[in-house]
Amino acid sequence: MKKLLLTFAMALGLFALAPIAPALAEDAAPAAAAPAAAEAAPAAAVGAAAEAAAPAAAPVPNKGDTAWMMVSTLLVIMMAVPGLALFYGGLVRSKNMLSILMQVMVTFSLIVVLWFIYGYSITFTEGNAFIGGLDRLFMKGTWDNVAGTFSPAATFSKGVYIPELVFAAFQASFAAITCTLIVGSFAERMKFSAVLMFCVLWFTFKGSHGSAQPDLDHGGRCAAVGGLVWFQRRLGPGGQWVRCAGFCQHLPRDCRSGDCLVYW
């Protein structure tokens, strides 16, 4: 009988404690989860900080666009040195053809050198309202010695990059061909040294402010027209005005060949 009463009492105790056990478990679960959450929060913060501190992946230049820009640069050079040189050389008198060829070639070479010294910097870096900065003087910063790569330059296509040196070379070819366009207006009218001095001054104060090809060509044409107005006609033997019909195109073949190279 005692055993039966003891068993009955234990059963009543279990039934009485059954509703309380889940509440106790629920109270114990948050208490156990709180330290775990407290430990996980610093770890998550450290991970987020590491992701934020990680440097962004360097853009990779597009090989196809880079190759095409290099080919385009060579085509512009072909338009200038043989093209304009032959075109202007075929239009002047035979005794001045070598002078015109040298003026075109030396002017093109000189402007390319000046472009890489300071022209690119004052054109494509931030400065003041009148002229650019000197961040890229002597092309400083275009080569990364640590990574062994050229700095990338953005293009008009989103997410497409090319090496900055290739971009600078392409722009240099247009800056140089613009100055060689001016040489034609000074043909048989100025000394060699005066032509070079004018082209350097024009390139520094005007040409470096326009980077787009149409703007440069327009400025070169304006300078050429100004030279024609200022120097007027060419003087021939005895101080007489030279008529183009009597002296121009002493080599029509070279003139046409240069014309085709320029306007192909």
Side-chain angles (χ1 to χ4, degrees):
M1 188 64 182
K2 292 181 178 180
K3 292 182 179 181
L4 181 61
L5 293 175
L6 181 61
T7 304
F8 184 72
M10 292 177 63
L12 290 176
L14 291 176
F15 280 112
L17 293 177
I20 304 175
L24 293 175
E26 291 178 0
D27 293 341
E39 294 177 359
V46 172
E51 292 178 0
V60 179
N62 186 284
K63 295 182 179 180
D65 290 342
T66 301
W68 174 244
M69 289 293 290
M70 296 175 67
V71 172
S72 301
T73 303
L74 293 176
L75 292 176
V76 177
I77 295 174
M78 183 183 66
M79 291 168 57
V81 178
L84 278 177
L86 291 175
F87 179 66
Y88 290 155
L91 290 176
V92 299
R93 289 173 287 180
S94 58
K95 67 175 185 178
N96 293 323
M97 182 175 184
L98 181 60
S99 175
I100 291 298
L101 294 178
M102 291 303 298
Q103 287 181 28
V104 172
M105 183 174 180
V106 174
T107 299
F108 188 93
S109 304
L110 177 62
I111 298 303
V112 168
V113 172
L114 295 180
W115 175 264
F116 285 104
I117 293 177
Y118 65 88
Y120 178 77
S121 181
I122 64 178
T123 303
F124 289 99
T125 59
E126 295 183 1
N128 51 40
F130 301 98
I131 198 169
L134 300 178
D135 296 338
R136 285 292 188 262
L137 192 66
F138 287 93
M139 302 304 295
K140 178 180 64 177
T142 57
W143 171 257
D144 188 355
N145 289 324
V146 178
T149 57
F150 290 102
S151 60
T155 62
F156 293 104
S157 301
K158 185 178 180 180
V160 178
Y161 295 87
I162 61 174
E164 188 173 2
L165 190 62
V166 175
F167 175 76
F170 178 72
Q171 296 293 340
S173 63
F174 278 109
I177 195 175
T178 303
C179 292
T180 57
L181 288 173
I182 306 173
V183 172
S185 65
F186 300 150
E188 300 181 332
R189 294 176 174 87
M190 290 179 66
K191 294 181 179 180
F192 200 167
S193 58
V195 171
L196 296 180
M197 181 62 67
F198 178 85
C199 289
V200 169
L201 293 175
W202 185 90
F203 164 76
T204 302
F205 294 103
K206 197 315 176 173
S208 59
H209 291 282
S211 58
Q213 182 258 346
D215 181 61
L216 285 173
D217 288 349
H218 178 69
R221 294 188 186 98
C222 291
V225 172
L228 290 173
V229 174
W230 180 264
F231 292 102
Q232 298 181 0
R233 297 182 182 181
R234 291 169 286 182
L235 293 178
Q240 301 294 324
W241 296 117
V242 175
R243 292 182 176 273
C244 184
F247 292 92
C248 290
Q249 296 189 14
H250 80 282
L251 288 176
R253 178 188 59 190
D254 293 347
C255 183
R256 299 295 184 273
S257 300
D259 192 12
C260 292
L261 289 174
V262 173
Y263 296 104
W264 67 276

